[in-house]
Amino acid sequence: MIRLFKVKEKQRELAENASGGAPVKKQSAGELRLHKDISELNLPKSCNIQFPNGKDDLMNFEVSIRPDEGYYASGTFLFSFQVSPIYPHEAPKVKCKTKVYHPNIDLEGNVCLNILREDWKPVLNINTIIYGLYHLFTEPNYEDPLNHDAAAVLRDNPKMFESNVRRAMAGGYVGQTYFPRCM
């Protein structure tokens, strides 16, 4: 029985080579699901997706978010997505490539979003994650912070938080930390 599969596989390979076509790389289940998710994306106008390695590498892409309301209005924030071959059974790894003063994003770009951690379920998709990221900018959450300083300022003094966000987005210092311009 095993030999039969090897013979069939060899015949298929020979047929592909005879027709002049390169052997076709088999897609993982994660790649198939991701292709479906991307083809069904319904992004807000303020979000954009790019494939820096070309369309052949769907498993690594970037999403830019430009909120049109809230503290972060008119800023542009870039996120990298690394998707595992076992997606959707494992959440994508998402990092913020834009240094941002935000209670739910630390200075290394780690993102605190429940659906990327304990609340991930295979029924969720890339569209859900992008909307979740967008929501972090329209309504930052000081109750589940990665940047504890920003969370404390948001909780205790929202006007000061807004001033710090504007200074950081314009390209300036908040405390001892410099933030490059992102507007």
Side-chain angles (χ1 to χ4, degrees), residues 93-155:
K93 305 286 183 249
V94 178
K95 279 250 198 216
C96 185
K97 295 177 78 173
T98 307
K99 192 171 185 181
V100 60
Y101 180 78
H102 195 291
N104 309 110
I105 302 171
D106 68 17
L107 298 176
E108 285 76 47
N110 298 309
V111 179
C112 183
L113 184 62
N114 63 331
I115 61 172
L116 292 175
R117 300 177 315 185
E118 71 275 359
D119 290 340
W120 177 257
K121 293 177 179 39
V123 297
L124 298 176
N125 58 30
I126 299 300
N127 210 56
T128 308
I129 296 169
I130 295 171
Y131 272 93
L133 293 171
Y134 183 82
H135 185 72
L136 283 182
F137 287 103
T138 56
E139 294 186 36
N141 178 8
Y142 61 78
E143 293 177 0
D144 189 17
L146 279 180
N147 182 335
H148 294 277
D149 294 334
V153 175
L154 175 59
R155 181 188 62 237

Side-chain angles (χ1 to χ4, degrees), residues 22-39:
V24 178
K25 181 184 165 244
K26 187 173 180 179
Q27 288 187 315
S28 69
E31 286 173 311
L32 292 171
R33 166 66 189 273
L34 183 60
H35 191 276
K36 176 184 179 293
D37 282 4
I38 289 172
S39 69

